[in-house]
Amino acid sequence: MANVTVIGAQWGDEGKGKIVDWLASRADAVVRFQGGHNAGHTLVIDGKTYKLSLLPSGIVSGTLSVIGNGVVLDPWALRDEVAKVEGQGVSITDENLAIADNCPLILPLHRDLDGLRETAAGKGKIGTTGRGIGPAYEDKVGRRAIRVCDLAHLDTLEPQLDRLCAHHDALRAGFGQPPVDRAALLEELREIAPFVLKFAQPVWKRLKKVRRAGAKILFEGAQGVLLDVDHGTYPFVTSSNTVSGTAASGSGLGPNSTGFVLGIVKAYTTRVGSGPFPTELEDEIGQGLGERGHEFGTVTGRKRRVGWFDAVLVRQSCAISGVTGIALTKIDVLDGMEKVKICTGYRLRGKVYDYLPSHAADQAECEPIYEEMPGWSESTAGARSYADLPAAAIKYIQRIQELIECPVALVSTSPERDDTILMRDPFVD
Ligand code: GDP
Ligand code: IMO
Ligand code: MG
């Protein structure tokens, strides 16, 4: 199994970026296949921090980085990110970055609509990242999107732009907003086009070549299974499929290409934005975890909600996404806790559930059933071998493995790239 697909198995921010970067030096290409700059992936290498939103996490190690067709691409955000990362000494050229020419664009009108809807929803808002992700995916599915390849045909874009803008003008009117200024939008597209086109190509072809040569492809998921538009806590989800199967459709390779599915799992649970969260801790324990884990969003800076490990959710995610093995991250954040709890089931109106029911109201009412385990006073921070972990931490990891019915392949013990314990090599297994 040469390829590896990394996905988040909770509500995002599990540490995907760190693990992708760690694996990237052994891969020949790193491919983003869904989401957009709603993602925030943090890499720490020798004390230097890189925050990536659209760029695949392979970019820092110099691995060929590919933005697949399943991504929604904000060209201005991309340009800013490229400038920022180049400012940190990373070289980004058309040699190491490729963008699918059939990738739909996120335009300023998408960001407007995202914001208008969230404001109008008041308390019922999704808590989106405000990046225009949902509206851009709607236009893709509605067959109105402007795509990367359209940037090479701006002189004939008018009818397409008219169709898109007519749709948005009607929506904007409902919010009391003026119509889209088509001329200004076309001008903005003209200005950004050369920057994006430099990287644009049919990436499926490039990846086919990479694959034929027997090279290793690392797929980098964004968000997490519980934010998947089908399988997540709908409607409090993102607007793409975040499950492993999307790696194929979102990059232009077949389903037999995804290889080892590595689910990234935080040793506790976090969520940013609205929606059900059965094990949420709104007390000082949660506050302590949030502080020790620096649980603030990479993209929006919002405080992440924090809770105990939920084995029901992770078991469900692993099943839905065909996870081969997990990487358990941030175990060090639990250091020093007297007791740790794991959710093993839910109680809902007198019945016990071993899965999360589909309806939002049921999800909101699920009461967690906990199993309690002793914590550990020793430090796991920076441990690089399984034998260095305290016995109680090993028991916790083993219990998680049992409950989620999936083996642990990696354990991460700090934000640093090399503070990682390898138990089962995803590129070999
Ligand atoms: P992603 O969206 O899944 O890539 O995760 P984020 O980067 O948004 O959030 C994970 C945060 O945890 C980042 O700040 C990482 O640097 C940090 N992190 C990753 N792994 C570990 C770990 O094992 N221990 C600790 N303490 N922090 C970690
Ligand atoms: P990474 O890749 C955590 C959440 C938002 C909101 C919902 C919908 O860093 O794990 P959207 O802007 O996508 O329409 O917002 O999804 N969300 C994330 N939460 N990590 C992410 O990405 C997220 N991307 C989106 O907070 O609840
Ligand atoms: Mg993140």
Side-chain angles (χ1 to χ4, degrees):
M1 243 188 225
N3 298 341
V4 176
T5 299
V6 166
I7 53 140
Q10 292 156 318
W11 277 294
D13 302 326
E14 299 91 347
K16 297 176 292 293
K18 170 186 162 157
I19 302 295
V20 169
D21 166 64
W22 188 75
L23 291 168
S25 60
R26 289 196 291 137
D28 302 282
V30 178
V31 186
R32 274 282 308 268
F33 53 88
Q34 49 71 231
H37 65 313
N38 50 348
H41 297 175
T42 315
L43 284 49
V44 183
I45 303 154
D46 296 331
K48 195 166 169 181
T49 301
Y50 303 84
K51 290 180 187 290
L52 305 173
S53 284
L54 253 175
L55 290 170
S57 297
I59 202 82
V60 178
S61 57
T63 313
L64 169 64
S65 293
V66 176
I67 295 178
N69 57 277
V71 170
V72 278
L73 183 106
D74 180 326
W76 299 277
L78 177 74
R79 184 167 60 186
D80 290 349
E81 190 174 325
V82 165
K84 187 183 78 178
V85 175
E86 280 189 326
Q88 292 189 281
V90 176
S91 149
I92 301 175
T93 66
D94 53 0
E95 289 290 308
N96 64 348
L97 178 65
I99 298 175
D101 59 2
N102 50 351
C103 203
L105 298 181
I106 301 183
L107 303 173
L109 50 82
H110 294 123
R111 203 173 46 234
D112 291 350
L113 188 56
D114 197 349
L116 290 166
R117 282 183 179 151
E118 285 283 274
T119 306
K123 276 194 159 165
K125 69 179 179 185
I126 305 284
T128 72
T129 59
R131 300 298 193 256
I133 303 291
Y137 274 118
E138 287 170 35
D139 283 342
K140 166 183 167 167
V141 178
R143 295 163 291 191
R144 294 178 293 271
I146 308 294
R147 306 192 302 170
V148 167
C149 53
D150 293 318
L151 295 174
H153 297 272
L154 291 177
D155 290 341
T156 53
L157 192 70
E158 215 174 296
Q160 234 175 300
L161 208 54
D162 265 343
R163 218 165 72 74
L164 176 71
C165 291
H167 177 79
H168 278 267
D169 286 348
L171 293 169
R172 291 165 73 96
F175 291 104
Q177 294 297 308
V180 179
D181 182 339
R182 288 153 171 74
L185 176 56
L186 192 57
E187 215 29 64
E188 285 181 84
L189 288 171
R190 246 185 238 295
E191 190 269 328
I192 197 78
F195 171 77
V196 181
L197 289 173
K198 193 165 64 188
F199 306 104
Q201 55 190 272
V203 300
W204 66 269
K205 228 165 166 294
R206 178 97 176 246
L207 290 172
K208 177 180 161 197
K209 211 168 138 194
V210 169
R211 205 161 172 238
R212 282 263 167 92
K216 295 185 178 82
I217 301 174
L218 178 55
F219 296 94
E220 177 178 12
Q223 292 82 51
V225 175
L226 295 165
L227 289 169
D228 182 281
V229 68
D230 287 300
H231 297 288
T233 45
Y234 193 90
F236 301 100
V237 293
T238 191
S239 296
S240 66
N241 282 112
T242 59
V243 291
S244 58
T246 315
S249 59
S251 62
L253 284 165
N256 56 347
S257 305
T258 45
F260 187 108
V261 179
L262 183 65
I264 314 299
V265 176
K266 205 177 271 191
Y268 49 99
T269 315
T270 61
R271 164 162 216 173
V272 55
S274 323
F277 184 171
T279 63
E280 184 167 14
L281 288 166
E282 287 173 289
D283 55 9
E284 66 281 6
I285 299 179
Q287 185 141 353
L289 277 173
E291 281 165 14
R292 283 199 304 283
H294 303 290
E295 296 297 354
F296 293 91
T298 313
V299 173
T300 56
R302 287 179 294 174
K303 199 168 175 219
R304 295 175 184 150
R305 299 156 66 193
V306 178
W308 292 118
F309 187 84
D310 190 333
V312 182
L313 291 185
V314 176
R315 181 169 61 227
Q316 190 161 327
S317 292
C318 287
I320 287 165
S321 234
V323 170
T324 322
I326 68 156
L328 191 70
T329 63
K330 303 191 93 160
I331 187 86
D332 55 293
V333 176
L334 298 177
D335 290 354
M337 297 196 78
E338 207 178 309
K339 287 185 177 123
V340 282
K341 288 188 187 179
I342 301 179
C343 171
T344 57
Y346 304 126
R347 203 163 276 120
L348 175 65
R349 291 179 215 111
K351 245 182 90 180
V352 172
Y353 282 70
D354 65 355
Y355 68 96
L356 189 71
S358 297
H359 198 274
D362 290 343
Q363 293 175 352
E365 277 186 51
C366 275
E367 300 252 354
I369 301 168
Y370 286 119
E371 194 174 287
E372 204 172 87
M373 296 184 75
W376 51 93
S377 54
E378 306 92 325
S379 169
T380 64
R384 294 187 183 182
S385 112
Y386 200 60
D388 290 340
L389 298 176
I394 290 180
K395 276 203 178 129
Y396 182 68
I397 295 169
Q398 283 173 342
R399 187 64 185 135
I400 283 178
Q401 188 166 255
E402 253 167 45
L403 287 167
I404 65 171
E405 297 166 12
C406 190
V408 176
L410 295 162
V411 178
S412 166
T413 59
S414 102
E416 266 291 341
R417 177 192 269 174
D418 292 324
D419 291 339
T420 307
I421 303 171
L422 178 68
M423 292 153 76
R424 184 175 161 189
D425 190 340
F427 278 124
V428 173
D429 263 327

